[in-house]
Every structure is written in structure tokens, then in C-alpha cells.
Amino acid sequence: MCERFTLLLGGASSGKSSAAEKICVSSGLDRIYLASAQLYDEEMRTKAAQHRTDRGPDWRTIEEPLNASEVIFSASDGEILLFDCATMWLTNHLLAENDLIAESARLMEALRETRARVVVVSNEVGLGIVPENALARRFRIEQGALNAQLAGAADCVVGVMAGLPFVLKGAMPEALG
């Protein structure tokens, strides 16, 4: 069983978020959903609203596209925080032209120091073709580096493909077994 920090990796729409929610619900702890998406258009607003409905009322949702580390630091013992997702968070910082090394360091510090249990969702973006433009290539490199940092710090790393979880590090969380 993964006690403190669990990372779920997979492709887009692979089932990562659903698996992460199962882990949180099965924990019996107070649940916090840290959403990093910025809702710029109607499609994203509709998707976010559907996710809130699907999760149900037993979650406290915090929408924070850039300052995830502050939210993670502030979570306390007796809570489980689902950060969904590190990929959107990184994208937000990349597009804002923020210092990715400093922001990633703050995130990693928050994950080490928080008293809460944490589940992080992140996309694996290195399995496809090499992108044709410089921004996309930089994103792929930065996402790979962030995922490696997250995986190194996590107690448990679970890959998800076609809705099926597989263990990369640690033991399979009971909720997914």
C-alpha cells in the first residue's frame, strides 16, 4: 500500500484520473481536488463541470493553475489531495514563461513537506513521435523531466493504459487491485 505520495502516469484519457479518484475515495480521508486546468473556453468549462458532478459533493475543489505548491503545503494530516494534473500545471507555467526549474523545485518541496497524503496525475508524453515545432519539443522534454522528478519522489508510481493500472514502483494501491 502506498501511504504518502502516489503518482499516476498515462496517456490522455487513459483512465488516470478515475484511478486516482478511487485511491482517494478508498482512503477514508477528507478529499481535496486541486485542479490546474485553466477554463478558457466553453468545452473546458463543460468538461470541468462534468468532472465536479462525477466526483460528487464529498470533495473540496480548489482551482489553482499556477500555485499548486501553496495548496499542497497547506493541506493537513487527515486529508488526501488529488492534484490533477501536473501536465496542465507545467503547461500553464511554460506558456506564462515562468522559471520552470524554480517552479518545479517549489512543487517538489511542497510534495516532500506536506502533512497530507497526495495523489498526482500526470501525462506520459514521451511515447509518441517527435513534435514538429520547438515549443512542443520543449514541452515534451520538460514534461519528461518533471515526471522523472515526481516518480523519483513518489512512494508508489502507477501507470494506466486503456483503463488498466500497472505498477512501476511500490505496490498496487488496494483501491486499484
Side-chain angles (χ1 to χ4, degrees):
M1 177 176 194
C2 298
E3 289 300 320
R4 198 184 73 55
F5 172 21
T6 301
L7 173 65
L8 285 100
L9 291 169
S13 299
S14 63
K16 305 177 300 293
S17 295
S18 179
E21 290 171 13
K22 287 178 185 176
I23 292 169
C24 293
V25 169
S26 73
S27 74
L29 300 171
D30 292 336
R31 297 186 295 272
I32 301 169
Y33 187 91
L34 172 55
S36 60
Q38 296 189 62
L39 309 179
Y40 288 126
D41 59 29
E42 191 58 36
E43 178 185 357
M44 285 297 289
R45 286 188 287 277
T46 299
K47 183 177 178 179
Q50 186 61 54
H51 280 283
R52 278 191 297 274
T53 299
D54 292 347
R55 280 192 306 274
D58 295 330
W59 291 79
R60 179 167 53 110
T61 299
I62 301 171
E63 295 177 355
E64 181 48 67
L66 294 170
N67 295 312
S69 59
E70 292 176 17
V71 176
I72 294 168
F73 267 129
S74 70
S76 61
D77 198 25
E79 295 178 320
I80 189 164
L81 183 142
L82 170 51
F83 178 27
D84 197 355
C85 74
T87 307
M88 290 301 299
W89 172 86
L90 180 71
T91 300
N92 297 338
H93 282 289
L94 181 66
L95 295 177
E97 299 181 1
N98 293 336
D99 181 341
L100 299 181
I101 293 172
E103 294 299 336
S104 294
R106 275 193 278 282
L107 177 64
M108 298 310 297
E109 180 183 5
L111 290 168
R112 281 190 306 275
E113 299 298 325
T114 187
R115 295 181 322 272
R117 282 186 55 192
V118 180
V119 178
V120 176
V121 172
S122 192
N123 284 21
E124 174 53 60
V125 298
L127 297 174
I129 61 171
V130 176
E132 68 179 52
N133 68 75
L135 179 61
R137 286 190 299 274
R138 179 172 179 220
F139 168 74
R140 185 182 65 144
I141 289 166
E142 298 292 351
Q143 185 66 59
L146 177 61
N147 285 346
Q149 287 181 63
L150 292 167
D155 301 306
C156 179
V157 181
V158 176
V160 181
M161 186 180 292
L164 300 174
F166 53 94
V167 175
L168 296 167
K169 178 180 178 183
M172 181 68 74
E174 290 180 21
L176 304 181

